[in-house]
Amino acid sequence: MKTTLIVVSVFMTLHVNASTIPVSERIDSLMNSAINPAAPGCNLGITHNNEYIHKAGYGLANLELGVPLDGNQVHRMASVSKQFTAMAVLILAQQGHIDLDKDIHTYIPDLRKYPSRVTVRQMLDHVAGMGDYDLIAPSFEGEKSDQAIELKSAAGGQFRLGNEDYLTIDEFYEVVKTVPLALEPNTEFRYSNLAYFLLAMMVEEVSGKSLRQFSDEFMFKPLGMSHTFFSDNPVEIVKNRASGYKKNDKGEYVTDMTNLFWVGDGGLHTNLDDMLLWNKHFNEPQLGQDPVALVAMMNTANLTLKPAADVSYANGQVVKQYQGVTEYAHSGGWLGTSTYFARYPELKLSFSLMCNDVSNEKVFGAYKEIRDLVFAEVLNKQGESR
């Protein structure tokens, strides 16, 4: 099966051993070496100056029907969703409806009382002391904590977060509201999906709209992101969806689709074209009452507490330096989903990787080589233009 290449720069080339090889061909070669064309795979989009320099699909979107990935499928984005939730919160803050330094109980009054004050700002950057799924049940991310609450399935057994047992958003909300803090707020970075789920519920409490409705009205429609939404309905039809897969113990592919349809920590569905528009907004701000100020808020870590000396976290984005420029990035991993989105505003460069195979460990190695190829070309051309 041939790789479907939608758009590629006609001028980007890389000189290797005195021969000139188009960068697009090098990218295809690296992705094809990592992905079997008869297996699930990835869509990859690379943009520069708000235009594609590469857009392609590798592998299959659906194994049952043999449908190839062609760069246009809608993917579940897992934790890449968090920056969209954060943007919704910041829009409400800019509108004057949320004070980031208020205790979360101001907006969710029936939330369990914590021994210490927990602010919205702390939740945005994972320093609120909130726990994760391990305080509720075992999941794709690992076994449950010794301090986990004893959540039961409908059959009376241990509840399983993944693709076996089901909860509505309201049912899950009732559970999460009772979960205690894992540690004292503002003492260390502790990644918390539960914090971002509660931020989504805060958006609903404050705006009177679900996160899906609010983000569509104030973010996706204004930006023209017509294929992007928070999926909060387990039985809706998602056109052109990339199905999720993994390998079982026998090395055979099986369907791997989640049963989780609460949103905030995850749940966003989108495609490469819409991620191009999302990235463009950071280069040419459009949202909010003061678009430039809103983007500046998104790009700024809310607290000085950092997970590592050279890394910070800003509103659903890991912020660090890469080859002398600032990188805003986040990965996503859940059942049948492996994603990555990275922005480099100083270069007006972005990478979107959307994969529907959680078993393929070669893909991210190929991606890192591709990123370095593109970086070398972009930096080289910038040097030539000076």
Side-chain angles (χ1 to χ4, degrees):
M1 181 179 297
K2 293 183 178 179
T3 297
T4 304
L5 183 63
I6 309 300
V7 179
V8 64
S9 169
V10 298
F11 59 82
M12 289 185 68
T13 58
L14 183 71
H15 298 275
V16 180
N17 296 328
S19 63
T20 302
I21 302 174
V23 166
S24 60
E25 291 184 16
R26 291 293 306 277
I27 293 172
D28 284 341
S29 177
L30 286 164
M31 292 298 288
N32 286 323
S33 68
I35 297 171
N36 183 328
C42 305
N43 282 320
L44 173 65
I46 307 172
T47 71
H48 186 225
N49 291 326
N50 300 325
E51 295 182 353
Y52 282 118
I53 55 177
H54 192 89
K55 177 187 177 186
Y58 309 86
L60 297 178
N62 185 283
L63 298 186
E64 293 88 342
L65 301 176
V67 176
L69 288 161
D70 63 8
N72 295 304
Q73 280 77 22
V74 171
H75 289 253
R76 187 181 185 92
M77 295 301 288
S79 286
V80 173
S81 309
K82 288 182 172 66
Q83 62 192 270
F84 295 87
T85 304
M87 180 69 83
V89 171
L90 295 184
I91 288 173
L92 281 169
Q94 196 175 72
Q95 291 173 348
H97 299 307
I98 289 174
D99 183 335
L100 300 181
D101 295 308
K102 290 283 189 181
D103 188 286
I104 185 61
H105 293 87
T106 306
Y107 308 108
I108 309 179
D110 55 347
L111 188 63
R112 176 192 180 112
K113 299 303 179 185
Y114 299 137
S116 300
R117 183 168 174 270
V118 173
T119 69
V120 177
R121 195 183 295 275
Q122 290 169 342
M123 292 168 66
L124 284 166
D125 281 5
H126 297 298
V127 293
M130 290 186 172
D132 213 338
Y133 286 148
D134 64 327
L135 290 181
I136 295 176
S139 72
F140 172 83
E141 294 188 340
E143 293 303 313
K144 69 176 183 178
S145 165
D146 292 338
Q147 288 77 43
I149 60 176
E150 291 298 323
L151 183 62
K152 301 295 184 181
S153 72
Q158 180 176 258
F159 190 88
R160 296 158 294 185
L161 288 172
N163 57 6
E164 295 162 303
D165 299 322
Y166 292 82
L167 286 174
T168 66
I169 291 178
D170 287 341
E171 288 171 335
F172 187 63
Y173 190 24
E174 289 302 313
V175 171
V176 175
K177 286 191 292 188
T178 70
V179 177
L181 294 180
L183 57 123
E184 180 70 15
N186 213 34
T187 55
E188 67 178 67
F189 179 91
R190 179 171 175 137
Y191 192 81
S192 176
N193 284 294
L194 300 187
Y196 266 77
F197 167 70
L198 287 173
L199 288 172
M201 300 312 297
M202 180 187 67
V203 169
E204 182 170 331
E205 294 280 356
V206 172
S207 71
K209 305 173 188 289
S210 68
L211 179 61
R212 179 176 186 154
Q213 294 168 330
F214 184 88
S215 58
D216 189 59
E217 179 178 347
F218 289 96
M219 295 159 57
F220 304 145
K221 281 182 179 174
L223 294 178
M225 297 172 66
S226 58
H227 303 284
T228 304
F229 59 97
F230 278 99
S231 180
D232 53 9
N233 180 353
V235 295
E236 70 180 311
I237 302 298
V238 178
K239 293 183 179 179
N240 205 24
R241 184 210 302 263
S243 299
Y245 301 96
K246 69 175 180 180
K247 284 185 177 179
N248 61 18
D249 293 340
K250 297 179 180 178
E252 303 166 331
Y253 277 108
V254 295
T255 300
D256 195 33
M257 299 289 279
T258 186
N259 67 356
L260 306 189
F261 285 87
W262 49 81
V263 295
D265 58 325
L268 185 91
H269 286 56
T270 191
N271 66 3
L272 293 180
D273 285 355
D274 279 11
M275 289 305 288
L276 182 151
L277 296 173
W278 181 247
N279 176 70
K280 182 178 180 180
H281 166 251
F282 287 92
N283 297 327
E284 300 173 5
Q286 303 172 55
L287 301 179
Q289 296 176 340
D290 184 340
V292 173
L294 182 64
V295 166
M297 288 172 67
M298 270 291 293
N299 288 342
T300 303
N302 287 295
L303 300 159
T304 56
L305 182 64
K306 299 179 180 180
D310 57 346
V311 179
S312 62
Y313 196 92
N315 304 297
Q317 306 169 107
V318 177
V319 186
K320 63 181 181 180
Q321 293 294 302
Y322 183 75
Q323 293 197 21
V325 297
T326 304
E327 174 188 87
Y328 298 88
H330 212 290
S331 61
W334 192 244
L335 283 76
T337 295
S338 185
T339 59
Y340 192 74
F341 176 62
R343 299 186 295 108
Y344 303 88
E346 294 153 85
L347 301 179
K348 290 192 175 180
L349 182 67
S350 78
F351 297 81
S352 299
L353 183 66
M354 305 177 182
C355 305
N356 62 338
D357 179 1
V358 295
S359 307
N360 191 336
E361 298 178 356
K362 298 179 181 179
V363 166
F364 279 90
Y367 165 76
K368 289 177 181 177
E369 290 192 54
I370 290 166
R371 177 187 57 186
D372 288 345
L373 284 174
V374 174
F375 252 77
E377 187 68 18
V378 169
L379 291 172
N380 182 56
K381 288 190 175 296
Q382 281 193 346
E384 291 176 353
S385 65
R386 290 172 182 166

